[in-house]
Amino acid sequence: MNKYRSLAQNIALFAINSIATKLISFLLVPLYTYYLSEGEYGITDMSLTVITLMVPLATLSVSDAVLRFVIDDRANADKYITSGFAIVLLSYLIIAFCLPILDLGIFGGLGDYKLWFWLAYASNALLTYQSNVSRALDQVRIIPFAAGLSSLATLGGAFLFIAKFGMGIEGYFISVIFGGLVGSAVYELMGKHRKHLVKVSFQAIRVNLGAMMAYAIPLTPNTLFWWVNNSVSRFFVTGFLGIAANGLYAAASKIPNLLNTVFQIFQQAWQISAYQEFGKKGSKGFFTTVFSVLQLVMFSCAALLSMLSPVLADLLLQNSFYTAWNLIPILLIAFFFSTIFSFYGTVYTASMDTGKLFVTTLVGAIATIIGCWLLVPSLGLLGAGVADVLSNFLVMLTRVWGANHVVSIEVSWLSFYACVALLFVQAALAVLGVNHYMMLSAICVVAVVIIQTFQARNVIRDLFRFVVNRRKRNVM
C-alpha cells in the first residue's frame, strides 16, 4: 500500500496548494469583472491564453522532460536541471522576437501591451520550471508555500494597482508579474535550486538535451494542439462575436475551471506516482483502482457544480457577466472529458511514447477548429461550448483506445456513459431555461453519485478495510 499512501500524501499537499491559490483566484474574478470592462477583461484573458500556449512551445516542454528524467536518473539530476534552465533562458529571446505578432487583430488589442506581456511570460515560464524541478527532486512540500505566496502577491497587487490606482490592464500585468517573482523567490529560498545549476560544457548540454528533447519535442506540438483544442474557441468567439463576447465566455469558463482545479490537484501527484510505478508488477491494478476513484470524484463534482452554477455565477460574475451562467453546464462537460483524456495521457508519458500522445491531441484540435467554424456563427457562445465538448470527447476516445494497448485499465463503460447522459440532461435544462432548474438538476446529482458509488464499491470496500486494519494496528 506504500504507492497508494505516497499518492495520497502528495494529493493532500497539492490540495492544500490548490485550495489556497484557487480561493485567491475566486476573489480575483469579482474584482476583475467589477473594475474591468468586458473588453479589458477579454484582453487579460487573451494574454493568459497566449502565455499558456507559449510557455511549453518556446521552452520545448523542457520542464516536463526534466521531471521525467530526474525521477528516472537522480544521479544526473544537476545536468538535466542545468540543461533545462538554459532552454528556459533561450525562450526569453524567442518570445521577444515574436512580440510583433501580437499586433494581429485576432489578439484583440494585446499588441498594445507587448513589454508587459513579455515580462508576464518570463515570470510565468520561470515559475513553471521551478515547480517541475521541485516535483522532480521530491520537494513537493515547497510547492504549496510558493504557489500560495505567489497567489497572495497577485491578489495584493490586483487590489493595489487595479482597484485603488485604477491602472486597468497594466495593473493586471503588474500584479501577475509580481506574483510570479514572489513564487520564484520562495522556490529559491526553500528549495535552493541554484545549487543544482552546475558548470556543464556545451558538449554535455548537447548530449543531455538530445535524450531529453527526444522525449519532449513530441510534447511541444502536442501542447500546441492541446492549446488549440482548449483555447482556439476564444479566437473564433473574438473574430465572429467580438472581444466583449470573449470576456463573457472567459467569465463563464471560470466556474467549470473549478472541476479542472480538482483534477489538477490529483494530476500533479498522479504524474509522479505513474512514472514511479509504470512497468512494475501490479501496475495494471494500480492504474485501474486510481481511475475508478478519479471517475467517482470527477463525475460527482461535475454534476454538483452544474447544479450550483446559477448560485456560483451570482457570487462570482458581476454585472452583465451573469448572463453567461447557462453556458456553465455545457462547459463543465467539456472540462470533464478533458480530465479523463488527461489521465489516459499519463499512460503515454509514463511509457515515453509521446509521439502517439501528439496524434490523439491533433484529432481534437482539428475537431475544435471545424466545430467552431460551423457552430459559433449560428449558435454564438453556445456553439463554442458544443465544439469544445465534441473535440474533447474525440480526444478521450482515441486516447482510451491507444492507452489500452499499453496498460489495460478496466472501466465500467455502461455506468460511465449513463453518467455522461445525466450531465447532458443538466446542460439541456440550463440552456432551455427550464423552471426549477436546481431541483431537477439535484435529481441528476443524486443519480450520478449512486451510479458512481456502485461502480467503485470494491475500491471503497478495500479502502475501508485498509483504514480499519491500520487503526487496529495503531491501537495494538
Side-chain angles (χ1 to χ4, degrees), residues 53-354:
L53 167 68
M54 295 311 299
V55 168
L57 283 186
T59 62
L60 299 175
S61 299
V62 73
S63 62
D64 292 315
V66 169
L67 172 62
R68 187 69 184 92
F69 277 76
V70 171
I71 286 178
D72 265 4
D73 186 12
R74 188 65 178 268
N76 291 306
D78 291 355
K79 294 180 181 179
Y80 294 129
I81 292 172
T82 302
S83 300
F85 184 67
I87 295 297
V88 172
L89 293 181
L90 179 62
S91 76
Y92 292 173
L93 294 176
I94 294 173
I95 294 301
F97 282 114
C98 293
L99 288 177
I101 297 175
L102 298 180
D103 288 325
L104 296 175
I106 61 172
F107 293 102
L110 186 57
D112 295 335
Y113 305 92
K114 292 185 183 70
L115 178 59
W116 292 116
F117 174 86
W118 183 84
L119 292 172
Y121 166 84
S123 64
N124 189 288
L126 181 60
L127 189 64
T128 299
Y129 184 74
Q130 289 178 294
S131 175
N132 269 19
V133 169
S134 287
R135 292 167 65 195
L137 295 174
D138 200 22
Q139 296 176 343
V140 178
R141 288 175 174 80
I142 298 176
I143 296 176
F145 291 99
L149 290 176
S150 175
S151 297
L152 279 173
T154 301
L155 177 64
F159 272 106
L160 181 63
F161 296 108
I162 297 177
K164 185 173 182 179
F165 294 153
M167 295 180 66
I169 296 173
E170 291 183 351
Y172 164 82
F173 278 117
I174 293 173
S175 65
V176 168
I177 295 164
F178 179 59
L181 293 177
V182 168
S184 293
V186 173
Y187 278 119
E188 176 56 36
L189 291 173
M190 298 183 68
K192 303 188 183 304
H193 292 172
R194 183 174 55 184
K195 71 180 182 180
H196 294 285
L197 299 177
V198 296
K199 292 183 179 180
V200 182
S201 66
F202 177 79
Q203 176 66 17
I205 290 180
R206 187 179 67 82
V207 171
N208 291 330
L209 286 177
M212 292 168 68
M213 290 300 100
Y215 172 86
I217 286 178
L219 292 177
T220 303
N222 174 72
T223 299
L224 171 62
F225 288 112
W226 178 89
W227 176 87
V228 169
N229 190 40
N230 286 274
S231 302
V232 75
S233 55
R234 308 290 177 84
F235 292 95
F236 278 95
V237 168
T238 301
F240 285 118
L241 307 176
I243 191 66
N246 182 58
L248 288 174
Y249 193 77
S253 299
K254 295 302 180 183
I255 294 173
N257 255 318
L258 289 168
L259 184 65
N260 192 48
T261 298
V262 175
F263 176 73
Q264 288 304 320
I265 293 172
F266 160 82
Q267 179 71 354
Q268 293 176 84
W270 167 243
Q271 196 173 37
I272 298 172
S273 294
Y275 292 169
Q276 293 171 339
E277 298 299 324
F278 182 81
K280 293 182 179 180
K281 183 179 180 180
S283 60
K284 174 185 174 181
F286 182 51
F287 275 70
T288 296
T289 298
V290 173
F291 182 76
S292 182
V293 176
L294 173 69
Q295 182 181 326
L296 167 63
V297 175
M298 287 296 100
F299 265 123
S300 300
C301 289
L304 183 61
L305 288 173
S306 186
M307 181 191 74
L308 296 176
S309 54
V311 177
L312 293 173
D314 188 47
L315 291 173
L316 298 175
L317 306 184
Q318 305 298 309
N319 303 323
S320 60
F321 288 91
Y322 177 78
T323 59
W325 84 264
N326 61 348
L327 293 172
I328 295 172
I330 194 70
L331 293 176
L332 277 165
I333 299 174
F335 273 82
F336 170 78
F337 286 143
S338 74
T339 64
I340 301 302
F341 75 61
S342 295
F343 174 88
Y344 275 90
T346 308
V347 175
Y348 295 90
T349 52
S351 63
M352 294 198 176
D353 194 359
T354 51

Side-chain angles (χ1 to χ4, degrees), residues 28-38 41 247 251 254 316-321:
L28 284 170
V29 171
L31 184 150
Y32 290 154
T33 56
Y34 185 82
Y35 287 99
L36 300 177
S37 68
E38 293 174 2
Y41 187 69
K254 295 302 180 183
L316 298 175
L317 306 184
Q318 305 298 309
N319 303 323
S320 60
F321 288 91

Side-chain angles (χ1 to χ4, degrees), residues 399-435:
R399 286 196 181 178
V400 168
W401 180 82
N404 279 336
H405 289 80
V406 181
V407 178
S408 182
I409 302 173
E410 297 178 5
V411 182
S412 173
W413 292 112
L414 179 61
S415 63
F416 182 91
Y417 285 112
C419 291
V420 167
L422 289 168
L423 293 183
F424 273 106
V425 170
Q426 289 181 292
L429 292 173
V431 171
L432 296 174
V434 175
N435 292 331

Side-chain angles (χ1 to χ4, degrees), residues 347-368:
V347 175
Y348 295 90
T349 52
S351 63
M352 294 198 176
D353 194 359
T354 51
K356 291 181 181 177
L357 188 70
F358 158 66
V359 173
T360 62
T361 310
L362 175 61
V363 172
I366 294 173
T368 299

